[in-house]
Amino acid sequence: MAPVSSAAAGARWAGAPSQTTLSLRPPLVARWCGPGRSAGRKRSRGAGGIMAAPGLRLHLGAALSLLLLLGGSRALAPSHRLTARDLTRLREALERPFTDLQAAFYSIVGLSNLGVRVADEKAACSYIKSHVDSSSVDSLFYAAQSIRLLSGCEVTVSNETRELLLAAISEDSSITQIFHAVGALSGFGLPLASQEALSALTARLSKEESVLATIQALETASYLSQQADLSGIVEEIEDLVARLDDLGGVYLQFEEGIETTALFVAAAYKLSDHVGMEPAMKEDQIIQLMNAIFSKKNFETLSEAFSVACAAGSLSQNRYHLPVIIVPDGPAAVSHHQPILKLQVTDVMSQPLTQAVVRLDYAKSASSKATVLQQTAFTLAGDVFELNFMNVKPASGYYDFSISVDGDKRFIANKVELKVKVSTEVGITNVDLSTVDKDQSIAPKTTRVAYPAKAKGSFTADSHQNFALSFQLIDVNSGAELIPHQTFVRLHNQKTGQEVVFVAEPDSKNVYKFELDTSERKTEFDSASGTYTLYLIIGDATLENPILWNVADVVIKFPEEDAPSTVQSKNLFVPKPEIQHLFREPEKRPPTVVSNTFTALILSPLLLLLILWIKIGANISNFSFAPSTIVFHMGHAAMLGLMYVYWTQLNMFQTLKYLAILGGITFLAGNRMLAQKAVKRIAAEQSSRLAKYRTLR
């Protein structure tokens, strides 16, 4: 036995020893991915299976570009990625026990794309060596691609096995067979004639035009020598992109599913890296493909997990496109207690891009559109980028951030719009409680209360005097006046539980005032006198300390003539009185004679039909007494009888149950009966044509 190095791949084999021992070292990063079988829908390539001319493609591409420019669509942002939790779930799906050689291949190669090695490489190597079938191209492919990633794993390849793989590379083989044969030769480090393999692949591709077959062709070409003319296969990437289905402008995927879409992404980037040519995919299309692939969070089969792992590995390690994920590290909010805005800048597998340069292009107030900060760099702290936004002392509210990431020409989706909340604390000042005489004959009695204390004593509001409340709201940190979104005054009846809520609004000087006039507000209170607890409610999304303050007790008195006879609780969660339904009595039925007369009139056409059949003669020569025919007609009659029983005795649910049984039997019998008649008719037609042919001769 003699060892063969992988450097010989690409040269045509022209004689070798009887056996070859291969000892392959795994590369630092292995990004092999490929589908296991061929299936999918067909597509038209023009007359005779020839692809559309390059000039036509250029015109179509120019037209699409013009439409995009006229549409003025904004850059799409990634909405799905592989989080640390998703990666753990994906890894667990790939670390299943081996059930066959294909499962071992999925696990070993899939984990390699995630940057993880198999836990027990020696056991994996032993499993592959004991299960490889040297007479199966598929088995050899799975073994060859798996041992490349296992340290010190050697598989013996005989001359017969090598001849088997070379013989599979022909126009008479399927694309799957060609793909597996080329992949096995490449994995074992055996030489092959790349141009002959390319010719066989191209010829076969004109016959197999499914999506999965084309993806396998891309994978196959990535194993061939760069000196071969692979441009025709590379063009298939653009063709496959055109066959993707756009789902709402957010997702792109093949109708075959996420698994096929993920394999396409992996194959496209592998071939593009191999030939040194950027894949024909626009930035928005790549992001839409990402969104579709990584929306898959749970994996029912090992092949699904394998395909997603392949796509993740390709999108995080290729020479042309590196999607950037920019998300806040925690809530997108800052405050005086937490002034630092933290961002995670990662690839699709949540690996930090510490070499990136993160810059804030501008920060604008969402309400006033005023720019408060621009062209400021984030600083790297560990794996997180930070910016102290509170240095510019922004007012509380929401701000629109435009953030860009540079540092690598491969970056795409590297600009993001982010809404950041600036929170603060609210303070209540100048809180005055007053009783104001309606005739103004007596000076108002005012009491000042400091938050959060409750006013001593109670205040009275009746037909002679009103109750008034005034206060101001300020930003505790800056001292500026605040106008929160929610400012309410709630009055709660201590006896009945009744609640009345009023909106407090500021005046031109931003002073909140509330005045209670019993003569104007008796409707809201149902004229229910009593002691009410006054609460002040202040809330806003930008407040760190929403307030519910028990301010004081207010005694409200309404005129006795307006008071309700009984004071009812305003609690909404009590049983309601039962509603007694009164159904209308049924109308009197007509006499039996009338009903029977109309029944006879309805059945009279059937009697007339029978009389005419007897007189004219009914043709029942085609009626056969086969069991299916008898069962069909009996089932049909039984269903008609069931309709009568439904009218006289059964209800709808009982009838549906019996009808389902009778209908199923009648359907099967009728289908069998029609099939038999069709066979007889076709046989009769063939006999007639044969007799006519013999007559003509």
Side-chain angles (χ1 to χ4, degrees), residues 199-409:
S199 299
L201 180 65
T202 304
R204 192 64 194 178
L205 190 58
S206 63
K207 301 176 182 178
E208 294 185 43
E209 298 181 338
S210 68
V211 171
L212 204 54
T214 309
I215 293 172
Q216 289 177 331
L218 300 181
E219 286 281 355
T220 307
S222 66
Y223 293 123
L224 302 179
S225 172
Q226 296 177 347
Q227 297 178 355
D229 184 11
L230 302 177
S231 59
I233 304 298
V234 173
E235 287 182 357
E236 294 291 338
I237 296 177
E238 182 181 359
D239 185 55
L240 286 173
V241 170
R243 297 163 69 179
L244 289 163
D245 295 331
D246 190 325
L247 305 179
V250 179
Y251 304 98
L252 268 184
Q253 70 176 63
F254 294 109
E255 66 179 22
E256 287 79 3
I258 298 297
E259 184 175 339
T260 302
T261 306
L263 292 174
F264 161 67
V265 170
Y269 278 109
K270 183 179 180 182
L271 179 58
S272 297
D273 287 349
H274 180 66
V275 301
M277 183 183 300
E278 183 176 353
M281 292 187 287
K282 296 181 176 62
E283 178 177 337
D284 280 1
Q285 292 173 334
I286 299 171
I287 297 172
Q288 286 178 284
L289 287 168
M290 282 176 49
N291 291 340
I293 295 169
F294 299 133
S295 65
K296 185 75 174 177
K297 302 298 182 183
N298 297 301
F299 308 98
E300 298 177 359
T301 62
L302 187 59
S303 60
E304 284 182 344
F306 165 77
S307 63
V308 173
C310 288
S314 297
L315 287 170
S316 59
Q317 298 178 19
N318 68 80
R319 296 165 55 185
Y320 300 102
H321 302 134
L322 185 58
V324 179
I325 307 297
I326 308 170
V327 293
D329 185 24
V334 295
S335 65
H336 289 273
H337 298 99
Q338 179 57 47
I340 306 297
L341 175 64
K342 299 180 180 181
L343 294 180
Q344 291 181 350
V345 181
T346 67
D347 60 15
V348 296
M349 291 201 294
S350 298
Q351 296 301 309
L353 299 176
T354 54
Q355 78 277 16
V357 178
V358 184
R359 183 180 67 255
L360 172 66
D361 295 330
Y362 62 81
K364 293 182 178 180
S365 171
S367 57
S368 65
K369 304 301 179 183
T371 301
V372 298
L373 186 63
Q374 57 185 350
Q375 300 304 323
T376 304
F378 283 74
T379 58
L380 181 63
D383 294 336
V384 178
F385 291 87
E386 297 181 345
L387 174 68
N388 190 336
F389 185 56
M390 297 304 293
N391 282 341
V392 298
K393 299 180 180 179
S396 62
Y398 287 92
Y399 291 82
D400 295 322
F401 278 42
S402 177
I403 300 170
S404 59
V405 177
D406 299 314
D408 193 322
K409 64 180 182 180

Side-chain angles (χ1 to χ4, degrees), residues 123-176:
C125 181
S126 299
Y127 184 90
I128 293 171
K129 292 169 67 175
S130 62
H131 286 76
V132 63
D133 182 1
S134 59
S135 63
S136 169
V137 175
D138 297 339
S139 179
L140 291 168
F141 168 77
Y142 296 135
Q145 292 299 324
S146 298
I147 64 172
R148 295 175 65 248
L149 305 174
L150 301 176
S151 301
C153 190
E154 300 177 357
V155 173
T156 301
V157 179
S158 65
N159 281 342
E160 291 78 9
T161 300
R162 188 177 343 189
E163 293 294 339
L164 172 68
L165 295 175
L166 291 172
I169 306 175
S170 70
E171 297 181 10
D172 297 330
S173 300
S174 66
I175 287 184
T176 301

Side-chain angles (χ1 to χ4, degrees), residues 489-493 498-500 502 516 525 532-534:
V489 175
R490 185 178 75 180
L491 292 165
H492 178 266
N493 192 311
Q498 177 184 4
E499 291 185 352
V500 182
F502 299 95
L516 176 61
F525 290 91
Y532 289 78
T533 303
L534 185 144

Side-chain angles (χ1 to χ4, degrees), residues 619-637:
N619 183 9
I620 57 173
S621 59
N622 287 329
F623 185 87
S624 64
F625 290 92
S628 59
T629 304
I630 297 174
V631 172
F632 171 74
H633 286 87
M634 290 180 62
H636 194 259

Side-chain angles (χ1 to χ4, degrees), residues 96 107 111 134 169 342 495 605:
R96 301 176 184 177
S107 295
L111 289 172
S134 59
I169 306 175
K342 299 180 180 181
K495 182 179 180 181

Side-chain angles (χ1 to χ4, degrees), residues 19-216:
Q19 295 188 39
T20 303
T21 300
L22 302 177
S23 177
L24 303 178
R25 293 185 178 180
L28 293 178
V29 176
R31 279 201 303 103
W32 186 96
C33 292
R37 58 187 181 277
S38 178
R41 63 185 174 94
K42 298 285 186 180
R43 61 118 157 57
S44 175
R45 299 168 126 214
I50 305 300
M51 292 188 299
L56 178 58
R57 289 193 176 196
L58 290 176
H59 289 305
L60 291 174
L64 290 173
S65 300
L66 179 60
L67 289 174
L68 289 175
L69 288 174
L70 292 176
S73 57
R74 294 180 57 187
L76 185 67
S79 59
H80 293 280
R81 62 187 175 109
L82 289 178
T83 63
R85 189 173 183 180
D86 296 333
L87 285 169
T88 301
R89 189 184 297 113
L90 180 57
R91 179 175 174 177
E92 291 174 351
L94 291 169
E95 290 178 336
R96 301 176 184 177
F98 301 158
T99 56
D100 52 31
L101 200 57
Q102 185 180 28
F105 161 75
Y106 282 152
S107 295
I108 295 170
V109 179
L111 289 172
S112 175
N113 279 276
L114 298 180
V116 181
R117 303 187 72 87
V118 180
D120 191 344
E121 294 192 7
K122 290 185 178 180
C125 181
S126 299
Y127 184 90
I128 293 171
K129 292 169 67 175
S130 62
H131 286 76
V132 63
D133 182 1
S134 59
S135 63
S136 169
V137 175
D138 297 339
S139 179
L140 291 168
F141 168 77
Y142 296 135
Q145 292 299 324
S146 298
I147 64 172
R148 295 175 65 248
L149 305 174
L150 301 176
S151 301
C153 190
E154 300 177 357
V155 173
T156 301
V157 179
S158 65
N159 281 342
E160 291 78 9
T161 300
R162 188 177 343 189
E163 293 294 339
L164 172 68
L165 295 175
L166 291 172
I169 306 175
S170 70
E171 297 181 10
D172 297 330
S173 300
S174 66
I175 287 184
T176 301
Q177 286 292 298
I178 297 174
F179 165 47
H180 283 176
V182 172
L185 290 169
S186 175
F188 287 135
L190 299 176
L192 73 152
S194 294
Q195 194 59 47
E196 292 183 6
L198 179 61
S199 299
L201 180 65
T202 304
R204 192 64 194 178
L205 190 58
S206 63
K207 301 176 182 178
E208 294 185 43
E209 298 181 338
S210 68
V211 171
L212 204 54
T214 309
I215 293 172
Q216 289 177 331

